[in-house]
Amino acid sequence: MNLPMKDEILKRFLLAKDTPISGQSLADELGISRTAVWKHLQTLQEEGYVFETIKKKGYVLKGKPDKVDPARITSFLTTQRFGRNIQYLDEVTSTQSVAHELAREGVHDGTVVIAETQTMGKGRMARPWESTKGKGVWMTVVIRPDVPPSQAPQFTLVAAVAIVNAIKSVCKNFTPTIKWPNDILINGRKCTGILTEMLAEMDRVEALLIGIGINANQQMEDFPPELQTIATSLSIEEQAEINRPQLVAELLNYLELYSNLYIKEGFKPIKALWEESSGTIGKQIKATTLREVIEGKAIGITEEGVLEIQLDNGEIKGVYSADIEI
Ligand code: BTN
């Protein structure tokens, strides 16, 4: 899918790094006039991009605003489908709501809705999700796997494995772990949540909406007091600023890789990857489901992604959905 012309120009500057690009070469390559090129550069400057003019050579990009804009994400993408259509919004109620509308309109597999902030971010179990402006990754990926609805929950585990690997590729000072089914923790504190919703017929998934919220660049004072003891951000743990567009692209690269793997080989390889990063398996836990509270040792997940808990009397119970305390 093609990027809008302004983003196409920006992508070329991002890829060129310190090599100057002339207005004429852009006009020739993109089949537009030099005046049109100049107007797009003006718009980019108004958005906060800084260009330096190198005499007789052209322009070099010297400064970027801190935004998760599509051109910057695309410059790190290696995917075929995922992230090739990105709907970028400055502010939105929830990226899930926009993704629902787009999915109903029939957008392609791998379409992404991403925003700088959400005014009504949604967590699991109808909880609100804090989405500080310009600091996190607040996005929904629309995927259209050809699977029955019963397999939808496994995609949350596919997403969890993709997120862990994306975080590992941009952060080197810690190792994130997965708390079943869908929280990513660093040193026991939550940095990421996943909310998977579904549009489906009785026997067929029409679309899965994988909502991902990653605390990337918040500092502790950016979190409301009630979250300060349980939440963290990648930046706090890494002690460095996180490149959000790169993180988003790495996430989409892994998400496409693991979705393809799941479609080709089933859940088995995903299960193995998930168990490698799990912080739940082998631990004594308390699982609160809609019906009961189960205490015991988490011994593994089944081929369906169901968590198995061994009670003190040896009985093994399978849990499909629950809040877990470790
Ligand atoms: C949870 O842990 O409770 C899940 C949180 C999911 C939050 C993300 S942010 C992007 C997407 N849009 C939403 O409104 N929610 C998800």
Side-chain angles (χ1 to χ4, degrees):
M1 231 160 288
N2 289 333
L3 286 170
M5 194 55 79
K6 173 175 66 87
D7 291 338
E8 197 55 65
I9 292 175
L10 177 56
K11 191 176 95 184
R12 282 157 201 260
F13 278 106
L14 290 165
L15 294 174
K17 301 218 167 83
D18 285 334
T19 311
I21 306 181
S22 73
Q24 189 61 55
S25 70
L26 282 172
D28 293 344
E29 276 181 39
L30 297 168
I32 56 175
S33 67
R34 280 200 65 168
T35 315
V37 169
W38 185 81
K39 279 193 182 147
H40 286 303
L41 291 179
Q42 281 284 107
T43 313
L44 287 167
Q45 278 171 337
E46 282 158 20
E47 288 175 7
Y49 291 90
V50 180
F51 293 94
E52 190 186 324
T53 310
I54 313 282
K55 226 172 156 192
K56 297 211 175 113
K57 291 200 168 145
Y59 308 96
V60 172
L61 181 61
K62 282 289 176 191
K64 304 171 264 214
D66 182 15
K67 297 226 157 122
V68 279
D69 64 84
R72 291 184 60 198
I73 296 170
T74 310
S75 68
F76 296 103
L77 272 186
T78 56
T79 57
Q80 295 290 317
R81 309 181 317 280
F82 284 31
R84 295 297 167 182
N85 178 19
I86 300 179
Q87 307 285 318
Y88 169 75
L89 299 147
D90 190 51
E91 182 177 301
V92 72
T93 48
S94 159
T95 55
Q96 294 293 102
S97 318
V98 178
H100 264 283
E101 280 170 35
L102 293 176
R104 277 196 207 95
E105 286 166 14
V107 287
H108 285 110
D109 184 39
T111 294
V112 170
V113 181
I114 189 161
E116 294 296 341
T117 186
Q118 304 182 110
T119 52
M120 284 169 62
K122 288 198 288 183
R124 283 172 66 233
M125 319 232 181
R127 293 184 188 124
W129 181 261
E130 179 67 31
S131 317
T132 318
K133 185 161 190 152
K135 301 278 179 172
V137 170
W138 323 125
M139 70 189 250
T140 303
V141 187
V142 179
I143 61 172
R144 296 189 178 278
D146 187 11
V147 297
S150 59
Q151 286 181 24
Q154 296 184 347
F155 277 88
T156 301
L157 305 189
V158 171
V161 169
I163 295 165
V164 161
N165 280 286
I167 292 176
K168 279 188 189 164
S169 64
V170 295
C171 298
K172 302 296 172 200
N173 292 340
F174 61 84
T175 305
T177 56
I178 308 171
K179 183 175 137 194
W180 186 89
N182 56 1
D183 287 348
I184 314 288
L185 308 185
I186 308 167
N187 300 322
R189 285 166 176 259
K190 180 159 168 172
C191 71
T192 299
I194 308 168
L195 174 69
T196 303
E197 297 178 311
M198 173 167 68
L199 287 181
E201 292 167 7
M202 284 296 278
D203 56 351
R204 199 188 128 254
V205 167
E206 258 178 62
L208 292 177
L209 311 171
I210 309 211
I212 298 168
I214 307 179
N215 297 330
N217 279 326
Q218 290 100 324
Q219 295 309 304
M220 217 21 111
E221 59 274 16
D222 294 319
F223 290 110
E226 67 277 15
L227 293 184
Q228 290 189 0
T229 50
I230 52 172
T232 191
S233 74
L234 306 186
S235 176
I236 292 172
E237 303 296 330
E238 184 71 359
Q239 303 208 327
E241 179 89 3
I242 303 302
N243 181 334
R244 289 185 301 144
Q246 184 185 3
L247 175 65
V248 172
E250 293 293 356
L251 173 43
L252 293 167
N253 293 341
Y254 277 111
L255 197 56
E256 182 173 286
L257 181 76
Y258 294 143
S259 298
N260 288 347
L261 182 66
Y262 174 84
I263 296 298
K264 202 162 154 236
E265 294 181 28
F267 190 58
K268 208 169 170 196
I270 303 298
K271 178 176 183 292
L273 289 165
W274 190 92
E275 282 171 348
E276 249 172 53
S277 296
S278 165
T280 307
I281 308 304
K283 300 262 169 66
Q284 204 59 31
I285 64 163
K286 181 169 158 190
T288 307
T289 72
L290 286 177
R291 276 177 292 123
E292 58 184 336
V293 177
I294 304 169
E295 291 193 52
K297 186 175 175 186
I299 54 169
I301 52 169
T302 65
E303 294 296 320
E304 286 74 42
V306 175
L307 181 68
E308 290 190 311
I309 304 173
Q310 185 162 43
L311 312 187
D312 287 347
N313 65 9
E315 187 192 339
I316 293 171
K317 283 203 171 191
V319 173
Y320 288 82
S321 172
D323 259 356
I324 303 287
E325 285 169 57
I326 299 178

